[in-house]
């Protein structure tokens, strides 16, 4: 298994540009989520999904959109990039929380985003 | 709102020492707690997951304990090695069977001196 993959690894954007961060997993996990990691702030949840067609907001959803059309993919869209969105973005996946003992979350390698 | 605190923020010890990393959380109504390791420029790797009904979990030289009522967890690393150098993150889930994500601490940056 490739696990959780993320593309691109690094991206530079200008203020106002839009882009999509890709995330895919091949473990048939129902649950997927996006976090951003900032110095001094730790990791914060942006959006999450408990299955295809179902998404919900996390702690810091403003400026981001998500959709989940398949079990495997969970892209994160930046609508109009701002310097405050400069961060490292991580995608994670796991089995459904109700499967006791199988809630371990698997993280992708991250996407480093710089917004100028 | 759940808050997770990790102490110390940084730790440097000689190789071979046993060490303890601390994690505390403000809301004891957690579903589970996970310890992760993050190497520079890399993603997170899950080390141990403790269910709210459990007291501890062990994997090799790692032992994690959970005292849910006092809002505390510790990660014990035995016979530390230079390869253990990394940032260790504690995260809790407060979703009772749901899936609203993890709340992370800011991590302990660990350096093991050869």
């Amino acid at each position: 298994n490739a696990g959780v993959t993320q593309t691109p690894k690094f991206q530079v954007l200008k203020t106002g540009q839009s882009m999509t961060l890709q995330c895919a997993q091949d473990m048939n996990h129902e649950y997927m989520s996006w976090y951003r990691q900032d110095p001094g702030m730790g990791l914060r949840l942006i959006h999450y999904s408990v299955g295809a067609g179902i998404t919900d907001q996390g702690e810091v959803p403003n400026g981001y959109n998500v959709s989940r059309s398949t079990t495997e993919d969970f892209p994160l869209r930046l609508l109009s990039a701002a310097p405050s969105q400069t961060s490292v973005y991580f995608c994670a996946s796991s089995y459904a929380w109700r499967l006791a003992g199988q809630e371990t979350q698997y993280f992708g390698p991250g996407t480093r985003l710089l917004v100028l | 709102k759940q808050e997770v605190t990790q102490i110390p923020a940084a730790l440097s010890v000689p190789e071979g020492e046993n060490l303890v990393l601390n994690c505390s959380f403000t809301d004891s109504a957690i579903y589970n707690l996970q310890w992760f390791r993050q190497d520079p420029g890399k993603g997170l790797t899950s080390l141990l997951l403790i269910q709210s009904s459990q007291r501890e979990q062990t994997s090799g030289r790692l032992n994690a304990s959970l005292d849910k009522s006092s809002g505390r967890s510790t990660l014990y690393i035995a016979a530390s090695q230079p390869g253990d150098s990394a940032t260790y993150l504690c995260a809790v889930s407060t979703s009772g069977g749901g899936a609203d994500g993890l709340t992370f601490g800011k991590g302990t940056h660990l350096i093991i001196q050869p």
Side-chain angles (χ1 to χ4, degrees):
Chain A
N1 288 350
V4 180
T5 58
Q6 293 184 238
T7 57
K9 292 183 179 179
F10 182 71
Q11 183 73 44
V12 179
L13 289 179
K14 294 181 180 179
T15 297
Q17 288 184 318
S18 62
M19 78 161 295
T20 299
L21 281 65
Q22 302 291 343
C23 174
Q25 51 89 12
D26 60 358
M27 297 173 281
N28 202 31
H29 286 165
E30 299 90 345
Y31 179 74
M32 297 185 73
S33 56
W34 278 101
Y35 292 85
R36 59 178 288 173
Q37 185 175 36
D38 302 292
M41 298 293 293
L43 282 96
R44 293 178 291 169
L45 182 67
I46 305 172
H47 285 285
Y48 65 94
S49 168
V50 298
I54 306 170
T55 63
D56 208 343
Q57 297 180 351
E59 180 184 358
V60 288
N62 292 341
Y64 307 95
N65 270 358
V66 292
S67 61
R68 183 102 178 264
S69 57
T70 68
T71 299
E72 296 78 18
D73 302 297
F74 190 44
L76 178 72
R77 298 181 184 86
L78 278 68
L79 308 174
S80 178
S84 61
Q85 294 179 304
T86 293
S87 187
V88 181
Y89 292 85
F90 289 101
C91 179
S93 74
S94 72
Y95 287 110
W97 292 102
R98 294 189 182 276
L99 296 177
Q102 297 189 48
E103 306 96 333
T104 296
Q105 296 228 18
Y106 295 85
F107 280 75
T111 293
R112 295 181 178 276
L113 177 67
L114 175 62
V115 183
L116 302 175
Chain B
K1 178 186 174 184
Q2 177 75 271
E3 293 184 0
V4 179
T5 302
Q6 292 187 243
I7 296 173
L11 182 63
S12 180
V13 300
E15 179 179 5
E17 284 199 3
N18 303 324
L19 55 98
V20 175
L21 308 182
N22 297 291
C23 172
S24 62
F25 44 95
T26 55
D27 185 349
S28 62
I30 65 168
Y31 187 68
N32 61 42
L33 181 145
Q34 294 184 60
W35 282 94
F36 293 89
R37 167 184 174 142
Q38 184 175 29
D39 293 289
K42 304 292 186 181
L44 282 68
T45 301
S46 181
L47 298 172
L48 291 164
L49 181 149
I50 308 177
Q51 302 285 355
S52 61
S53 58
Q54 297 176 321
R55 299 286 292 189
E56 66 177 349
Q57 282 284 354
T58 298
S59 176
R61 294 182 294 107
L62 305 179
N63 176 278
S65 67
L66 174 64
D67 185 341
K68 183 180 163 184
S69 61
S70 67
R72 296 175 186 271
S73 176
T74 61
L75 179 66
Y76 175 82
I77 302 176
S80 58
Q81 304 171 357
D84 295 330
S85 297
T87 296
Y88 290 80
L89 297 163
C90 169
V92 300
S93 167
T94 52
S95 55
D100 57 1
L102 299 173
T103 301
F104 282 86
K106 295 180 180 179
T108 293
H109 180 55
L110 177 64
I111 297 174
I112 307 298
Q113 306 156 11

